[in-house]
Amino acid sequence: MEEHSRFARFCAAVVRRLPFGLSRIVAPNFLGFALINGFTFGVDLALLTLFHGWLGLPVWLSITLGYIGAFTLSFVLNRKLNFESHAPAGRQVVLYVAAIAINYAAFLLGVGSGLTALGVQYHLSRILAGACEGVFMYSAMRWVVFAPRSGEREVQCAG
């Protein structure tokens, strides 16, 4: 059995058991996104701590390096495990890079660095920016980056 199938089945099984009718409104790939990006956000914070806290790099550079590492890992894991995409990766990479560029400017530099400049501790600033970026990036990945193109939808329906 392929690894991505087990992950998808796990997410679907968990969502089916959600209380209060949440199983009708929470998509399994939303749970998958939350699990994967929760993990990669931890990687992001670890890299931020390494670059700024230990190596003394400026906050903006530390945020950038952590962001690149974490979002590269997020793309690979979401493509393979969560959205189970078999489409050519080239178009998806271009769309993903556009989404993370927007996300980077608006949330990481705008919110993250902005809050740090206002005196908020840099880890807390990054966590608050992360909440904003989570909503944006899930939406971008589900409905833009990994959305099946019209020819792919026909194959999925027929298959």
Side-chain angles (χ1 to χ4, degrees):
M1 185 93 9
E2 293 182 42
E3 195 65 31
H4 65 276
S5 296
R6 281 187 288 216
F7 183 78
R9 282 197 317 272
F10 168 77
C11 291
V14 170
V15 166
R16 278 193 303 272
R17 289 171 178 78
L18 290 175
F20 312 115
L22 290 172
S23 61
R24 291 188 303 272
I25 58 173
V26 174
N29 64 13
F30 179 77
L31 175 63
F33 175 85
L35 292 172
I36 290 169
N37 284 61
F39 169 73
T40 60
F41 188 66
V43 169
D44 191 337
L45 286 176
L47 292 172
L48 171 61
T49 300
L50 170 70
F51 295 131
H52 181 68
W54 293 356
L55 299 178
L57 297 178
V59 170
W60 70 266
L61 180 58
S62 300
I63 287 172
T64 302
L65 294 173
Y67 185 77
I68 290 168
F71 269 84
T72 299
L73 181 58
S74 173
F75 176 82
V76 171
L77 294 176
N78 271 294
R79 177 178 157 76
K80 284 285 220 197
L81 299 176
N82 194 35
F83 293 98
E84 299 179 335
S85 178
H86 302 290
R91 177 180 177 276
Q92 292 174 340
V93 168
V94 169
L95 292 170
Y96 188 71
V97 168
I100 63 172
I102 293 166
N103 185 52
Y104 175 79
F107 301 113
L108 291 212
L109 289 184
V111 175
S113 292
L115 289 173
T116 301
L118 291 173
V120 176
Q121 199 271 343
Y122 71 95
H123 283 111
L124 180 57
S125 295
R126 182 63 187 93
I127 290 167
L128 294 171
C132 297
E133 90 180 67
V135 173
F136 174 78
M137 286 306 299
Y138 173 73
S139 300
M141 291 171 89
R142 180 171 182 183
W143 290 295
V144 179
V145 176
F146 298 118
R149 295 185 355 210
S150 61
E152 294 165 355
R153 280 189 212 110
E154 292 169 12
V155 171
Q156 287 176 349
C157 292

